[in-house]
Amino acid sequence: MITIAGAGLAGLASAYELAKRSAPVTIFEKAEQPGESSVARFAGGMLAPFCERESAEEEVVTCGVQAADWWSQVTPVTRHGTLVVTPPRDQAELTRFARRTSHFTEVNGQAISELEPALAGRFERGLFFKEEAHLDPRQALADLTGAVQELGVEIQYGRTAPARVNLNCTATASSLPDLRAVRGEMAILHCPEVQLSRVIRLLHPRMPLYLVPRADGLFMIGGTMVESNSDRPPTLRSLTEMLSAAFAIHPAFAEASVVEIGAGLRPAFPDNLPRLVEHDGSLHLNGLYRHGFLLAPALAQQAAQHLLKEACA
Amino acid sequence: MQLYGTDISSRLLLGTAQYPSPAVLQKAIETSRAEIITVSLRRETADGSGAGFWGLLKDSGCRILPNTAGCHSVQEAVVTAQMARELFGTDWIKLEVIGNSDTLQPDVFGLVEAARLLCADGFKVFPYTTDDLVVGEKLLEAGCELLMPWGAPIGSGQGLRNPEALRAMRAHFPDVPLIVDAGIGRPSDATRAMELGMNAVLLNTAVAKAGDPVLMAQAMAQAIEAGRNGYIADPMDPRDMAVPSTPTLGMAELI
């Protein structure tokens, strides 16, 4: 029996990889309800390895390109790409973004309006990352939970894990050295007047933001990264910046309902890359940072291989 | 150079925001050999304890210069400075009082007032100011022992927008340490500032947002050293006409 602490993104993805290899798995989750204590519920759900390369290491691309296919096994994935735009005065940001990334085509105002009719006449230049995708994080967590249970994984909710487990996936709750919390803030808007079919990234020198369309006229907006371990609700400043960015993307967002705001703590190592590490008698999968949905599949595969090789030996 | 009685040998002061990761930041600090790093209290806490990030900064062994970045009023800046003193155990503070959230220009009136309050409270104030001479005088009267004039708006990377004003500052305040803060984009901008006789350069975005921040940190350090040496070495003045560097009279009699 392989034991896992934490039924968040890392724990569930690892359980899935283990169960597919026919290993019996039990997950201990301290929360009473599925997803309740997982920071992934505040995520954007972007599967955007090429855009992330702007500020992340190459490993994020090499490990992340398979994510869309992996998630398609268990949950709906929207493969419409990412559109990166910027207000006219911040054109230099777009040029810089293009220099640091790959797998995009430059698009003009005409092409932008063909991709997203709602944005017709609003932006003159953009970058289109055709191969990228996105999903709905809460739907994906629920679907992944169902998928692992179907494969025979037992999830014990409301149970604190024993001190030693085979795989510890407890994110910021773990006591790994060098692990820190990076706060992220988000809001969910309901705006049926605006139809967008793909992730829109708005480049801004102070606060680059992303707007992720979800079903039923909902949009998630997020993007802050604050070096802090406070999970208090979003600050007025962050919300002001995020909401005005939505307004900059389309003025119809002025009439949107803000249906939810939230803040979560992302676990990160100093290089902002995830790791598998042995510590205090357990293997730990941690440090997914802002790349949870993008990198969990690759790390889960590595964790499963590591644990099963160990089991054979 | 001496800043508030402390000997500092590196003339590059490095900001710690906006790096791709703390690991890259750490390497950039090492490569730059900066001895002073600035930390934005506001941005990095939002009420929590940013402990993980600060631990990394403390491990760098550098002297920490907390700043009041993003403060728009005297009171906000003073309270932030007091929090920073508690948190980092230092009475050094880089004082920013922002007058306009779009241009990030300093509010020099608020700056002088906040500097007076903080200096009276025992702080060693590093004021982020414009290149205005009268404002500089008022800051010194308020108790500041150094000035940090801008090169260009924060984060703009435009280089030195008004080198003549910096030259005038150097002449007007011959014995006051002058640190160019904000606006540096390329190593040549930093060299230029140092050739004008500035004592040091404070920069952040130019390194943090470079494609290779570690290499850019090294380039900036070299540029600053070159500019400083160039200033001390007393450069020649430009001339309108060519002057040959070889003798013009007589033939070499080699046989």
Side-chain angles (χ1 to χ4, degrees), chain A residues 51-57 100-101 225 272 289-291, chain B residues 19-21 209:
Chain A
C51 281
E52 288 300 315
R53 184 69 179 91
E54 184 250 340
S55 61
E57 306 282 337
R100 305 279 157 76
T101 54
M225 284 181 290
N272 290 346
Y289 183 50
R290 57 181 264 166
H291 303 125
Chain B
Y19 288 78
S21 71
K209 289 289 185 186

Side-chain angles (χ1 to χ4, degrees), chain B residues 84-106:
Chain B
R85 180 162 62 180
E86 293 271 308
L87 212 52
F88 293 103
T90 176
D91 52 9
W92 282 21
I93 187 78
K94 178 188 152 181
L95 182 61
E96 274 184 36
V97 182
I98 300 300
N100 181 304
S101 57
D102 208 27
T103 63
L104 301 179
Q105 274 179 287

Side-chain angles (χ1 to χ4, degrees), chain B:
Chain B
M1 76 183 156
Q2 278 213 333
L3 303 178
Y4 284 105
T6 303
D7 281 317
I8 304 288
S9 51
S10 169
R11 294 175 183 272
L12 169 57
L13 287 72
L14 195 63
T16 57
Q18 295 187 315
Y19 288 78
S21 71
V24 171
L25 164 61
Q26 235 164 353
K27 274 189 219 143
I29 293 172
E30 273 169 39
T31 312
S32 72
R33 284 185 274 145
E35 289 165 47
I36 300 172
I37 53 176
T38 63
V39 185
S40 159
L41 189 64
R42 252 209 117 92
R43 195 64 207 125
E44 312 299 353
T45 56
D47 225 23
S49 87
F53 185 65
W54 293 337
L56 293 164
L57 296 184
K58 280 177 188 149
D59 288 348
S60 71
C62 291
R63 183 178 273 274
I64 289 182
L65 175 60
N67 69 38
T68 64
C71 290
H72 287 254
S73 72
V74 172
Q75 202 209 347
E76 211 182 346
V78 169
V79 170
T80 305
Q82 285 162 344
M83 276 167 58
R85 180 162 62 180
E86 293 271 308
L87 212 52
F88 293 103
T90 176
D91 52 9
W92 282 21
I93 187 78
K94 178 188 152 181
L95 182 61
E96 274 184 36
V97 182
I98 300 300
N100 181 304
S101 57
D102 208 27
T103 63
L104 301 179
Q105 274 179 287
D107 165 7
V108 293
F109 304 96
L111 180 69
V112 172
E113 194 183 332
R116 189 169 291 125
L117 292 169
L118 289 171
C119 289
D121 193 14
F123 280 95
K124 297 183 167 67
V125 176
F126 292 58
Y128 163 62
T129 180
T130 64
D131 46 32
D132 189 283
L133 300 180
V134 180
V135 172
E137 280 174 356
K138 302 243 180 242
L139 286 166
L140 297 179
E141 277 165 30
C144 297
E145 291 181 18
L146 56 83
L147 297 171
M148 301 216 291
W150 63 357
I154 294 176
S156 69
Q158 293 175 357
L160 307 183
R161 287 272 292 265
N162 193 352
E164 290 312 319
L166 294 175
R167 198 191 305 277
M169 265 190 117
R170 179 69 294 164
H172 196 70
F173 302 110
D175 302 319
V176 177
L178 298 177
I179 303 171
V180 166
D181 178 7
I184 299 294
R186 289 155 192 265
S188 52
D189 301 331
T191 303
R192 185 105 192 271
M194 296 307 291
E195 285 177 356
L196 289 171
M198 299 294 111
N199 298 79
V201 169
L202 193 162
L203 54 88
N204 185 347
T205 314
V207 168
K209 289 289 185 186
D212 184 341
V214 179
L215 190 58
M216 187 58 84
Q218 185 186 4
M220 287 294 184
Q222 291 167 331
I224 288 166
E225 201 180 334
R228 177 66 186 172
N229 287 342
Y231 174 70
I232 296 172
D234 189 10
M236 64 172 283
D237 290 315
R239 298 172 52 95
D240 291 339
M241 299 298 291
V243 180
S245 50
T246 45
T248 48
L249 289 175
M251 295 297 289
E253 295 178 35
L254 297 176
I255 303 170

Side-chain angles (χ1 to χ4, degrees), chain A residues 31-48:
Chain A
E32 299 287 342
Q33 297 296 325
E36 194 182 313
S37 71
S38 170
V39 67
R41 72 186 190 282
F42 298 117
M46 291 175 292
L47 304 172

Side-chain angles (χ1 to χ4, degrees), chain A residues 26-109:
Chain A
T26 298
I27 309 182
F28 301 98
E29 170 55 54
K30 67 172 191 224
E32 299 287 342
Q33 297 296 325
E36 194 182 313
S37 71
S38 170
V39 67
R41 72 186 190 282
F42 298 117
M46 291 175 292
L47 304 172
F50 305 114
C51 281
E52 288 300 315
R53 184 69 179 91
E54 184 250 340
S55 61
E57 306 282 337
E58 181 65 23
E59 196 176 328
V60 170
V61 178
T62 50
C63 291
V65 285
Q66 53 148 319
D69 286 339
W70 192 93
W71 284 105
S72 295
Q73 302 173 99
V74 297
T75 195
V77 171
T78 310
R79 294 168 183 257
H80 291 170
T82 305
L83 182 60
V84 182
V85 292
T86 180
R89 56 174 260 181
D90 297 325
Q91 288 297 315
E93 293 295 314
L94 198 71
T95 307
R96 197 180 71 87
F97 197 93
R99 269 207 318 265
R100 305 279 157 76
T101 54
S102 63
H103 294 71
F104 61 82
T105 46
E106 290 203 31
V107 284
N108 59 19

